[in-house]
Amino acid sequence: MDLGQIEAFVQVAQLRSFSKAAEALFLTQPSVTARIQSLERDLGEALFERNGRGVRMTEMGAAFLPYARRALKALQDGRESIEGMRKKYTKAFPGVEVSVHTGRSEQVLQMVLQDEAHCALERTVQHADIVTIPLYEDDLVLVAPPEHRFAQKRGATVEEVGREPLILFDKGSSYNALIQGVFRQHGIVPKTLMEMDTIEATKKMVEEGLGIALLPKVSTEREIELGHLVTVAVTNATMPRRQISLIFRKNRKQPRAVAAFFELLADMYKVSIPEGPAASA
């Protein structure tokens, strides 16, 4: 399932109308109908009953609605988190407008190569036109809500993990490939509960007690510190690591604000970032 389907479902559920939901989402009614039908196929259940008087949720639809609303709230929380990062930098450098984009590794690389972004933080890549500065290595960690039995004993085998409802994020990402690799090495097909399109949404689903997840360690530090999530050791499997790097295009003149951002990264991660041609603004 994807969030487009979830948005359509929630709007139809609230408005009790496919046409009104289409208006609210700025879509055509056939598009909303197609999204609902695709979601019903994914879930294997009918979510609405259509009759002459309108639309009524089925029992299964009513049961699914609170989870769908949580998923949309998690997405909004993720957007607010990114906005918080933007405000942190602009507070240090007032007057600088910051635009943050996210995407898969290849998409992010193309943003930098096509000058759609000054720089990027992503997995280490090798490209003739790109400068790559390794910053840190990030582990995948298993996280669970505090009340989960894994959290109580702080450990589980990979076989036990495979039997629990697992929440994944972004099927096409390199992180997802690493996660699947862990289970494949042990001949396990994990019990996937749902797939979200962002890490932030995945964390929220785990916090709500809907399942467990394997996530990049750096993305869970705040929630762990606040006690919203608990790391769980996978006792008989080695968790993969991924190197995260700063990348930017060779020979591109960088504005002073970007150079200042590089200085912050250099100080934070104790690395040396070579100076390129400087721009005046």
Side-chain angles (χ1 to χ4, degrees), residues 123-145:
R123 66 179 175 86
T124 297
V125 296
Q126 302 298 326
H127 193 285
D129 297 324
I130 290 293
V131 177
T132 300
I133 310 296
L135 298 180
Y136 64 92
E137 287 194 338
D138 192 23
D139 297 321
L140 276 176
V141 294
L142 178 65
V143 294

Side-chain angles (χ1 to χ4, degrees), residues 26-45:
F26 301 99
L27 296 171
T28 64
Q29 184 170 334
S31 294
V32 171
T33 300
R35 292 186 182 190
I36 296 299
Q37 290 174 341
S38 179
L39 179 60
E40 289 177 328
R41 284 194 299 271
D42 288 344
L43 294 173
E45 297 288 348

